[in-house]
Amino acid sequence: MKSAAIHEIFSSIQGEGPYVGERHIFVRFIGCDIRCRFCDTPAVVQVSPDELSWKLCKVQPSPDFVEHEQVPNPVAAADLTVFCNRLIVPGPSRPTLSLTGGEPLLHHEFLAEWLPTVRGAFRIYLETNGIHAGAMRDLRDLVDVVSMDFKLPSATGLRPFWDEHKQFLSAVDRKTLFVKAVVTRDTKRADIITAGRLIAGFDRSVPLILQPAGGQCAPDPAMLVEFQNTALSLIEYVRVIPQIHKVLQVP
């Protein structure tokens, strides 16, 4: 079975979206194909093949918040399973495995082989930039929850990805899906309208999470209310949820 480039494997509290507060086991993959100006994981975005040979993967050895170990990259599938299994909190709950990054769908061939071996033991939660429809179509029967980003161009500083987002929506099993959009002080109402209309054209009941950026990029509170009102005029469920893990100061 294949191996994958992984930045870190750890257990923590989910800090984003409607599953906020749940305990998740995070597998953070290396690499991303876009460069959002508000990115909060720049260390994992761009690593060349030459750099990968010395880029170590940080591994938390137990569910407690303890010092990480370091292992070489790329990480073999069998080793990844061992690392994830030892982060399970003992008890009756079904643990959630959160695939994040970077962009995990850049590793879809690895995931297509690895996920069937662990899905019985874990609920699979995928965080993605929502532009890789083909990879999502290949994996949709192996994933339980999809956290899909809408990359609003006025917030990211990048070109629009509306066509890619539309194609991605068609590749997802809608019962597993919610959409998240980071909003900043530069976000335009027109982007919120486009996002709402895109969701409405797919399924008006799909939740939209507006996630305010922090620091100098943070939007004015009045903007958040305006954006929520705008989106609620188009779709059924719109919530404003900040990054709670940063409030709690957990990994």
Side-chain angles (χ1 to χ4, degrees):
M1 190 177 289
K2 299 178 184 294
S3 58
I6 298 173
H7 178 70
E8 57 184 339
I9 304 159
F10 64 102
S11 172
S12 189
I13 296 168
Q14 175 59 252
E16 299 181 354
Y19 296 84
V20 65
E22 288 188 353
R23 190 66 170 269
H24 285 193
I25 296 167
F26 294 86
V27 177
R28 187 179 303 281
F29 289 87
I30 290 175
C32 187
D33 48 345
I34 59 177
R35 304 289 183 268
C36 301
R37 60 187 170 198
F38 53 73
C39 179
D40 60 358
T41 56
V44 307
V45 166
Q46 190 170 13
V47 178
S48 71
D50 291 337
E51 292 174 315
L52 185 58
S53 63
W54 55 261
K55 180 77 172 177
L56 295 175
C57 173
K58 297 187 294 184
V59 180
Q60 188 176 327
S62 78
D64 303 311
F65 292 166
V66 296
E67 193 68 26
H68 287 59
E69 302 170 351
Q70 294 187 321
V71 300
N73 261 308
V75 178
D79 292 334
L80 179 56
T81 300
V82 171
F83 297 147
C84 292
N85 283 340
R86 70 186 190 182
L87 295 179
I88 296 174
V89 176
S93 65
R94 186 185 185 196
T96 296
L97 190 60
S98 182
L99 311 175
T100 186
E103 174 48 56
L105 287 184
L106 295 179
H107 304 265
H108 68 278
E109 293 181 355
F110 170 81
L111 291 172
E113 290 192 11
W114 180 62
L115 289 181
T117 70
V118 297
R119 190 163 181 242
F122 296 92
R123 179 177 62 161
I124 308 300
Y125 180 109
L126 172 68
E127 299 184 46
T128 174
N129 60 25
I131 63 177
H132 297 284
M136 185 69 252
R137 193 171 289 109
D138 290 343
L139 296 178
R140 69 179 170 189
D141 293 334
L142 301 175
V143 172
D144 299 296
V145 178
V146 178
S147 169
M148 174 193 180
D149 276 8
F150 271 8
K151 298 299 186 181
L152 309 181
S154 57
T156 63
L158 303 173
R159 69 168 180 84
F161 290 98
W162 301 123
D163 288 343
E164 289 90 341
H165 290 334
K166 184 176 181 179
Q167 294 171 18
F168 190 93
L169 287 171
S170 70
V172 181
D173 184 340
R174 67 190 67 202
K175 72 177 182 295
T176 69
L177 174 70
F178 70 90
V179 174
K180 173 170 63 69
V182 175
V183 294
T184 71
R185 62 189 304 173
D186 298 316
T187 299
K188 304 300 183 186
R189 182 173 179 269
D191 282 351
I192 303 297
I193 293 172
T194 303
R197 287 175 175 169
L198 195 57
I199 294 172
F202 174 69
D203 184 342
R204 292 179 59 181
S205 68
V206 169
L208 172 63
I209 310 301
L210 300 178
Q211 181 175 296
Q216 294 182 344
C217 293
D220 184 272
M223 290 176 62
L224 293 174
V225 174
E226 177 190 358
F227 291 160
Q228 187 177 42
N229 290 345
T230 297
L232 282 169
S233 71
L234 299 165
I235 57 178
E236 296 178 14
Y237 301 106
V238 184
R239 299 172 65 184
V240 177
I241 304 177
Q243 291 181 299
I244 299 300
H245 60 291
K246 295 186 176 180
V247 176
L248 299 176
Q249 298 182 351
V250 297

